[in-house]
């Protein structure tokens, strides 16, 4: 009996020998669209590169509240993954819940990455109280997509191939009206049925006036309320004059643009793959994407960042070997993020965006200038995609943008509700 | 033969034990925890400091809880009685049919009931969507203005109520049909011999004899509509969630989106008590009025 047992132990030890060197990193993400396909490609490239050393075992989960609830509950019982994608805007909440591990200075040097590799606003977005809790992978702002053919036909394409009037409200509105006169029923396709989406545009317009959502823990204090009202009024004006679509859902917005009905569209850079693919199939006009027009004082664009975070699985210590493998995954992903740019996102890792290959990628190169003008969500546990601020905003944005409610009233209600959340 | 009482008790216990264990684990224990958590300043997971009745007193000043409460009441009013009447009417109609045709029509009405809520959501979103909904093309044809059904507070609750009735009527129809079939044919024959009119037959025979089933359907509907959540949540995505809140949605928001377990638990306790009080009241009222008809 004893012989059998010890034999088994020896056999197990022999079998375990070569296996021990191999680390399996469990991975969760929420990328299910065109970017999900590209991420799967990156993962399989990584696995091929690290044959016999590290394998990523990836799972894609439902975006939004389901993802974040699942991370929260699984980290609490030590059943979370080894690494996961996370929105930078959600980090303050995650840190207050204690579900993220700090990325220590030692980790940064182990990965061969440092603060100097990132845009200041992106670095700041993953920093809470001077510590980093995630590694930025990309930034995904919104941009203005445009139909070159339609603009050229209406005589509204400037010499450098961009829409005219990007530098002022009057100029941009003149372009919209010009398009309307040239026969577009709705010159601008806007996701006016989805307030959570419109938050991105409205927050950008607030940023163009140096407005902030939260100052010293108070929402819309001082003249920030007025700046929000200005942003809402500008957009509502476009609705009232029939310059943008009303009650339009996200898929309908994209359809209106790609079918040529609306020559302009404000949307996330993640729709770039859609355009590239349609164009390749010969189903799309000549198109382009530029930084948002300056409606107020200076350029400013809302952005969020996909980051990699390591969950603090309670009661489960991560072995040094595992941690090293996880760091290798993050580091490899950052250094190979040029491919990720084909999903439209702007890689966060500076050396990639500064490379010659990236500089010639279109339309990314045209809009990558906006990295200097990016603004992120306020740092609050209430902020972030699918968070409480989103619900409040959406509830008042939808009626306002479709002309049912006055901007002043909406701002008053938003201010009350946001401060009531705390 | 002598019966072994002790053995019988053991067998009985063994048979009941699995149920009691599971019931205790997944119902009694969480319910107790819910009451405890409602007195704590707790996050979604784990306990917090004891705050006495704070979570409850905050509910009354909370504008959003107020919205949720009245929306739930409005939704119950829109669905329970109308839904029951619609199901009764359809059951009366189906009862007059015969054979295969009856089975076919019954199946058609029952079909929506087996659909998962996500499918129900998609069907109706395709139908009523402002931009590409099929119904909107009808509106255009008739020269009417399009209505943003799920983005307007006026239309949202009535639309979701209608969809809910469409979705869940099948089950009530089955209960009513079973009740109608249990009424002996002789009673109707006797009424026919007495020259009773159709209206008299219905009001003096069918309605009172069907009352127990109606009371049951009303109670089931009441309890399930007080707990309305999934349709409202799905149809609110991206729209005006805080205008469309119902009680369970409020609990979900507090717990899963805001990480405020204590405040969510307090709202859940209020809903729990509300469901018990309302359903007991409803049951007693329907039982008392039974003899009157």
């Amino acid at each position: 009996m004893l012989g059998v047992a010890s034999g088994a132990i020896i056999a197990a030890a022999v079998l375990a020998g070569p296996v021990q060197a191999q680390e399996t990193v469990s991975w969760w993400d929420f990328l299910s669209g065109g970017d999900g396909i590209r991420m799967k490609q990156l993962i399989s490239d990584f696995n091929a590169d690290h044959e016999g050393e590290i394998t990523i075992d990836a799972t894609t989960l439902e975006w939004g509240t389901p993802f974040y609830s699942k991370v929260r509950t699984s980290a609490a019982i030590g059943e979370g993954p080894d690494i996961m994608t996370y929105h930078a805007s959600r980090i303050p909440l995650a840190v207050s819940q204690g579900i993220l591990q700090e990325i220590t200075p030692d980790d940064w040097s182990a990965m061969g990455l440092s603060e100097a590799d990132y845009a200041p606003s992106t670095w700041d977005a993953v920093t809470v109280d001077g510590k980093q809790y995630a590694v930025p992978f990309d930034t995904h702002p919104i941009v203005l997509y445009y139909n070159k053919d339609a603009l050229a036909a209406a005589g509204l394409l400037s010499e450098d191939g961009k829409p005219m009037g990007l530098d002022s409200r009057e100029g941009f509105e003149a372009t919209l009206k010009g398009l309307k006169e040239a026969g577009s029923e709705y010159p601008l396709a806007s996701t006016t049925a989805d307030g959570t989406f419109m938050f991105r545009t409205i927050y950008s317009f607030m940023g163009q006036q140096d407005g902030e959502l939260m100052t010293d823990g108070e929402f819309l204090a001082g003249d920030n309320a007025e700046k929000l009202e200005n942003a809402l009024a500008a957009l509502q004006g476009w609705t009232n004059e029939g310059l943008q679509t009303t009650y339009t859902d996200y898929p309908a917005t994209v359809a209106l643009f790609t079918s040529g009905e609306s020559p302009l569209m404000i949307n996330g850079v993640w729709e770039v793959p859609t355009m590239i693919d349609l164009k390749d199939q010969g189903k799309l006009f000549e198109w382009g994407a530029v930084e948002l027009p300056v409606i107020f004082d200076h350029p400013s664009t809302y952005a969020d960042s996909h980051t990699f975070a390591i969950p603090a699985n309670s009661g489960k210590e991560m072995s040094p070997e595992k941690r090293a493998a996880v760091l290798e995954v993050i580091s490899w992903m950052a250094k190979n993020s040029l491919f990720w740019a084909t999903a439209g996102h702007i890689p966060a890792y500076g050396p990639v965006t500064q490379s010659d290959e990236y500089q010639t990628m279109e339309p990314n190169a045209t809009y990558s200038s906006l990295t200097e003008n990016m603004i992120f969500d306020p740092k609050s546990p209430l902020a972030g995609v699918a968070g409480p601020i989103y619900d409040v905003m959406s509830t008042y944005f939808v009626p306002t943008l479709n002309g049912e409610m006055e901007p002043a009233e909406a701002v008053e209600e938003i201010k009350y509700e946001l401060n009531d959340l705390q | 033969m002598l019966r072994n009482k002790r053995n019988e008790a053991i067998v009985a216990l063994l048979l009941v034990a699995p149920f009691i264990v599971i019931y205790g684990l997944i119902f009694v224990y969480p319910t107790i925890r819910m009451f405890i958590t409602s007195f704590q300043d707790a996050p979604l997971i784990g306990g917090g400091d004891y705050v006495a009745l704070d979570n409850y007193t905050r509910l009354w000043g909370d504008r959003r809880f107020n919205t949720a409460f009245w929306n739930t009441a409005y939704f119950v009013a829109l669905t329970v009685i109308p839904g029951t009447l619609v199901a009764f009417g359809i059951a009366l109609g189906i009862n007059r049919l015969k054979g295969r045709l009856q089975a076919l029509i019954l199946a058609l009405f029952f079909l929506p009931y087996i659909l998962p809520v996500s499918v129900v959501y998609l069907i109706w979103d395709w139908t009523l969507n402002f931009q590409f909904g099929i119904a909107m093309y009808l509106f255009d044809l008739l020269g009417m203005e399009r209505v943003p059904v799920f983005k307007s507070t006026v239309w949202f609750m009535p639309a979701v109520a209608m969809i809910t009735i469409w979705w869940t009527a099948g089950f009530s129809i089955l209960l009513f049909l079973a009740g109608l079939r249990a009424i002996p044919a002789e009673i109707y024959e006797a009424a026919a011999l007495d020259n009773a009119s159709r209206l008299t037959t219905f009001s003096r025979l069918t309605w009172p004899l069907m009352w127990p089933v109606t009371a049951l359907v009303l109670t089931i509907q009441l309890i399930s509509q007080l707990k309305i959540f999934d349709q409202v949540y799905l149809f609110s995505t991206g729209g005006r969630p805080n205008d469309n809140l119902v009680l369970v949605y409020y609990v979900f928001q507090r717990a899963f989106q805001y990480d405020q377990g204590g405040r969510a638990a307090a709202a859940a306790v209020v809903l729990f008590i509300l469901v018990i009080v309302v359903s007991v009241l409803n049951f007693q009222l329907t039982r008392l009025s039974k003899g009157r008809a």
Side-chain angles (χ1 to χ4, degrees):
Chain A
M1 187 67 192
L2 204 70
V4 174
S6 59
I9 288 164
I10 291 163
V14 169
L15 281 174
V19 180
Q20 243 168 14
Q22 167 126 12
E23 283 290 339
T24 301
V25 174
S26 69
W27 156 303
W28 287 1
D29 68 42
F30 45 68
L31 307 158
S32 55
D35 48 7
I37 298 165
R38 283 159 176 89
M39 182 55 93
K40 285 185 181 67
Q41 182 64 45
L42 276 173
I43 290 172
S44 77
D45 288 353
F46 176 90
N47 286 342
D49 249 26
H50 295 76
E51 183 89 60
E53 295 163 38
I54 306 169
T55 313
I56 298 175
D57 178 16
T59 311
T60 300
L61 297 153
E62 173 85 19
W63 186 94
T65 309
F67 180 83
Y68 288 113
S69 303
K70 191 173 166 71
V71 166
R72 171 86 175 103
T73 46
S74 53
I77 53 163
E79 291 295 325
D82 299 320
I83 179 176
M84 61 192 172
T85 52
Y86 221 89
H87 285 97
S89 56
R90 297 274 307 201
I91 288 176
L93 176 62
V95 170
S96 76
Q97 294 170 332
I99 55 175
L100 295 185
Q101 289 190 33
E102 190 198 335
I103 311 285
T104 62
D106 287 349
D107 293 336
W108 287 103
S109 61
M111 289 186 287
L113 306 173
S114 72
E115 186 174 350
D117 296 327
Y118 296 93
S121 56
T122 315
W123 180 264
D124 183 56
V126 296
T127 306
V128 176
D129 296 331
K131 293 175 181 169
Q132 288 73 47
Y133 288 91
V135 180
F137 184 51
D138 68 25
T139 39
H140 44 283
I142 51 170
V143 289
L144 177 72
Y145 289 86
Y146 62 101
N147 180 335
K148 281 187 189 173
D149 298 348
L151 283 162
L156 293 164
L157 200 65
S158 66
E159 276 170 28
D160 57 352
K162 290 181 183 176
M164 280 186 177
L166 289 175
D167 52 353
S168 71
R169 182 166 173 182
E170 293 73 29
F172 189 66
E173 287 179 354
T175 304
L176 290 175
K177 284 174 187 153
L179 287 166
K180 181 123 182 151
E181 277 159 25
S184 303
E185 197 181 345
Y186 296 109
L188 177 66
S190 273
T191 318
T192 39
D194 191 335
T196 56
F197 190 87
M198 288 308 284
F199 174 71
R200 300 177 165 100
T201 313
I202 293 162
Y203 194 54
S204 302
F205 287 174
M206 271 184 84
Q208 292 189 355
Q209 312 165 65
D210 289 314
E212 283 185 70
L213 205 51
M214 192 182 203
T215 39
D216 300 324
E218 194 190 341
F219 286 102
L220 297 172
D223 64 351
N224 287 318
E226 204 179 306
K227 287 168 178 167
L228 172 61
E229 193 182 325
N230 293 340
L232 283 171
L235 280 156
Q236 196 189 46
W238 299 350
T239 301
N240 291 344
E241 292 181 50
L243 300 175
Q244 74 180 344
T245 53
T246 50
Y247 293 112
T248 314
D249 282 322
Y250 188 90
T253 310
V254 179
L256 283 167
F257 178 73
T258 54
S259 68
E261 271 192 61
S262 294
L264 298 171
M265 169 174 77
I266 294 176
N267 206 331
V269 291
W270 52 87
E271 285 299 339
V272 165
T274 312
M275 306 301 160
I276 292 176
D277 293 351
L278 280 175
K279 182 81 181 127
D280 284 348
Q281 295 161 19
K283 288 182 191 154
L284 202 70
F285 37 79
E286 288 296 322
W287 66 284
V290 283
E291 192 170 341
L292 289 192
V294 182
I295 300 299
F296 295 97
D297 310 332
H298 58 80
S300 169
T301 304
Y302 161 90
D304 199 345
S305 174
H306 289 138
T307 69
F308 290 117
I310 307 174
N313 281 317
S314 115
K316 205 168 100 180
E317 196 71 28
M318 192 179 250
S319 71
E321 293 80 19
K322 176 81 97 190
R323 197 169 176 97
V326 168
L327 294 176
E328 169 59 20
V329 171
I330 299 176
S331 164
W332 188 93
M333 287 288 167
K335 287 165 187 166
N336 289 276
S337 55
L338 183 67
F339 179 68
W340 187 239
T342 63
H345 307 292
I346 303 174
Y349 184 57
V352 165
T353 47
Q354 284 144 23
S355 70
D356 292 339
E357 285 141 296
Y358 183 79
Q359 298 289 341
T360 54
M361 263 174 95
E362 283 299 335
N364 306 53
T366 317
Y367 59 67
S368 62
S369 60
L370 61 77
T371 329
E372 293 145 34
N373 310 318
M374 287 188 302
I375 46 166
F376 284 80
D377 280 77
K379 276 196 194 166
S380 157
L382 297 165
V385 289
I389 291 181
Y390 260 48
D391 277 356
V392 173
M393 294 288 192
S394 187
T395 301
Y396 295 102
F397 285 172
V398 172
T400 310
L401 297 179
N402 294 294
E404 280 179 50
M405 188 186 260
E406 285 310 308
E409 190 191 345
V411 170
E412 205 173 296
E413 298 285 329
I414 289 171
K415 191 173 172 179
Y416 170 86
E417 281 216 35
L418 285 182
N419 287 309
D420 192 44
L421 279 177
Q422 309 204 47
Chain B
M1 205 170 91
L2 272 173
R3 291 170 63 188
N4 188 334
K5 286 239 169 90
R6 212 172 126 242
N7 255 353
E8 268 186 16
I10 289 173
V11 169
L13 208 64
L14 275 176
L15 289 172
V16 185
F19 175 80
I20 292 187
V21 170
I22 294 168
Y23 187 77
L25 202 68
I26 67 171
F27 180 75
V28 178
Y29 173 70
T31 309
I32 294 168
R33 284 294 316 205
M34 172 177 79
F35 276 96
I36 296 172
T37 311
S38 73
F39 295 108
Q40 294 173 338
D41 180 22
L44 174 61
I45 291 166
D49 299 330
Y50 175 76
V51 291
L53 287 171
D54 260 18
N55 290 329
Y56 289 95
T57 46
R58 288 180 81 169
L59 281 182
W60 302 126
D62 186 348
R63 197 158 69 163
R64 225 174 277 139
F65 181 76
N66 209 28
T67 314
F69 183 86
W70 288 111
N71 270 345
T72 310
Y74 182 38
F75 186 79
V76 164
L78 284 172
T79 49
V80 175
I81 294 177
T84 307
L85 289 179
V86 165
F88 195 14
I90 293 172
L92 283 172
I94 291 177
N95 198 39
R96 295 184 150 264
L97 298 170
K98 293 275 174 293
R100 281 201 186 147
L101 186 64
Q102 187 188 41
L104 179 74
I105 304 285
L106 178 61
L108 287 181
F109 278 108
F110 194 70
L111 201 62
Y113 187 70
I114 62 170
L115 297 176
V117 68
S118 48
V119 175
V120 170
Y121 161 68
L122 283 178
I123 291 174
W124 286 94
D125 190 43
W126 284 332
T127 312
L128 297 174
N129 187 286
F130 187 74
Q131 293 289 328
F132 53 88
I134 300 156
M136 295 304 147
Y137 291 101
L138 270 178
F139 278 47
D140 290 351
L141 272 180
L142 298 170
M144 287 157 66
E145 280 223 2
R146 292 186 171 204
V147 182
V149 179
F150 299 114
K151 309 294 172 190
S152 105
T153 24
V154 180
W155 286 102
F156 188 88
M157 280 295 157
V160 176
M162 199 235 6
I163 292 166
T164 306
I165 291 173
W166 170 83
W167 182 31
T168 57
F171 183 65
S172 312
I173 293 173
L174 276 191
L175 289 177
F176 278 121
L177 265 184
L180 286 170
R181 283 178 184 161
I183 302 175
E186 298 88 62
I187 299 181
Y188 286 113
E189 276 169 26
L193 285 174
D194 288 342
N195 250 344
S197 73
R198 221 177 236 187
L199 190 70
T200 322
T201 317
F202 178 78
S203 64
R204 295 294 171 90
L205 288 182
T206 315
W207 181 254
L209 285 170
M210 286 296 285
W211 184 245
V213 181
T214 314
L216 175 72
V217 171
L218 274 175
T219 312
I220 293 174
Q221 286 281 324
L222 187 67
I223 293 173
S224 70
Q225 307 310 2
L226 277 170
K227 297 189 294 183
I228 166 89
F229 168 65
D230 15 15
Q231 302 96 299
V232 173
Y233 176 71
L234 286 170
F235 283 112
S236 292
T237 42
R240 307 167 67 167
N242 290 354
D243 283 347
N244 304 333
L245 284 180
V246 283
L247 287 172
V248 181
Y249 195 168
Y250 178 89
V251 174
F252 169 80
Q253 235 190 14
R254 284 279 171 216
F256 289 94
Q257 277 176 279
Y258 303 5
D259 199 34
Q260 295 169 330
R263 296 182 67 178
V269 167
V270 171
L271 177 63
F272 183 75
I273 292 169
L274 200 73
V275 169
I276 291 176
V277 169
V278 171
S279 49
V280 167
L281 218 68
N282 174 66
F283 183 72
Q284 291 298 341
L285 283 176
T286 46
R287 199 178 57 104
L288 287 175
S289 64
K290 187 181 165 186
R292 251 187 344 140

